[in-house]
Amino acid sequence: GAVVSQHPSWVICKSGTSVKIECRSLDFQATTMFWYRQFPKQSLMLMATSNEGSKATYEQGVEKDKFLINHASLTLSTLTVTSAHPEDSSFYICSARAGIPGSSNYGYTFGSGTRLTVV
Amino acid sequence: DAKTTQPNSMESNEEEPVHLPCNHSTISGTDYIHWYRQLPSQGPEYVIHGLTSNVNNRMASLAIAEDRKSSTLILHRATLRDAAVYYCIKNRDDKIIFGKGTRLHILP
């Protein structure tokens, strides 16, 4: 089945520094990937849609200059949290769509998430 | 509007069937119904999806109402490993918006 690998699984960084999170589709090509963040006891919140070879589409209220998304290839999207602050501490999850609607292998595959702690 | 309505939480005994309901009254004709589940500190995991007909796979069954305004995820024999938050989502091959989901507790 479709596998999405997310790295790192956890990271601790100092306030003011930047952190990059990678999301790779291992056995399929993903023209579109999605980035979510999740606070404790809450649901996933969509941050942006990452499109291969073009600019990401950000959801309302998400700062595009703070959360930089790059989708330079069909198997890799990266999320960079710039000038991180403690309030950016969260669980970040990526996702990619695989297969064709109605086919047995259709679905959205999620990475295992990255726990970011900013100190 | 990508919202669906699910109970906040449910309980079930181990080795018994579980029926997780979902209302999606604003569903359009081309929206698929997806179910995902999330275990603690993990990314969501695909469970099942369907359009109009009931669907079965090795994990679960999906029963879709005739008017498609509701569906039920059926776990035939719950185990402790099925304890998770279950999300019901209607989607038209674009971004997935998560609701609050149903937190399923399995009692040993």
Side-chain angles (χ1 to χ4, degrees):
Chain A
V3 177
V4 169
S5 174
Q6 188 172 341
H7 180 80
S9 56
W10 60 270
V11 58
I12 301 173
C13 72
K14 291 184 178 180
S15 188
T17 63
S18 296
V19 173
K20 180 185 285 187
I21 302 170
E22 292 188 350
C23 181
R24 295 180 184 273
S25 57
L26 295 187
D27 50 359
F28 67 102
Q29 294 183 332
T31 55
T32 304
M33 292 186 176
F34 307 90
W35 286 95
Y36 297 82
R37 66 188 296 182
Q38 184 176 33
F39 293 108
K41 305 280 186 194
Q42 293 186 23
S43 185
L44 287 78
M45 184 194 81
L46 180 66
M47 299 175 66
T49 301
S50 171
N51 304 298
E52 187 268 335
S54 65
K55 291 183 179 180
T57 304
Y58 291 82
E59 296 297 304
Q60 190 173 10
V62 177
E63 300 175 60
K64 61 180 181 181
D65 294 331
K66 181 168 186 61
F67 299 100
L68 301 180
I69 291 172
N70 183 277
H71 194 156
S73 79
L74 287 171
T75 59
L76 174 64
S77 175
T78 60
L79 169 68
T80 301
V81 183
T82 63
S83 187
H85 292 283
E87 56 266 31
D88 298 323
S89 298
S90 187
F91 192 50
Y92 291 86
I93 305 166
C94 69
S95 171
R97 184 175 59 228
I100 301 169
S103 66
S104 60
N105 65 342
Y106 174 66
Y108 291 73
T109 303
F110 291 81
S112 54
T114 298
R115 176 79 56 194
L116 170 63
T117 303
V118 184
V119 297
Chain B
D1 181 6
K3 292 185 179 177
T4 60
T5 304
Q6 299 177 251
N8 289 333
S9 66
M10 291 183 64
E11 266 186 9
S12 178
N13 293 319
E14 195 177 11
E15 298 187 3
E16 290 187 356
V18 181
H19 290 234
L20 297 165
C22 179
N23 286 321
H24 28 78
S25 58
T26 60
I27 196 167
S28 73
T30 53
D31 283 341
Y32 279 81
I33 300 157
H34 294 252
W35 283 82
Y36 290 82
R37 70 180 187 182
Q38 186 180 25
L39 279 65
S41 298
Q42 294 187 26
E45 173 189 29
Y46 169 81
V47 178
I48 202 166
H49 82 280
L51 184 62
T52 56
S53 305
N54 294 343
V55 185
N56 300 297
N57 66 21
R58 63 176 179 81
M59 288 183 69
S61 295
L62 176 60
I64 301 172
E66 197 169 332
D67 63 6
R68 299 206 332 122
K69 293 185 177 182
S70 66
S71 62
T72 302
L73 178 70
I74 303 165
L75 306 180
H76 296 286
R77 196 162 169 266
T79 69
L80 295 177
R81 288 175 294 180
D82 292 321
V85 178
Y86 286 78
Y87 296 99
C88 165
I89 296 158
K90 63 179 177 74
N91 167 266
R92 201 181 321 167
D93 195 35
D94 54 7
K95 58 191 180 184
I96 280 191
I97 304 298
F98 285 84
K100 294 183 179 180
T102 296
R103 185 172 296 277
L104 176 63
H105 302 273
I106 303 297
L107 306 176

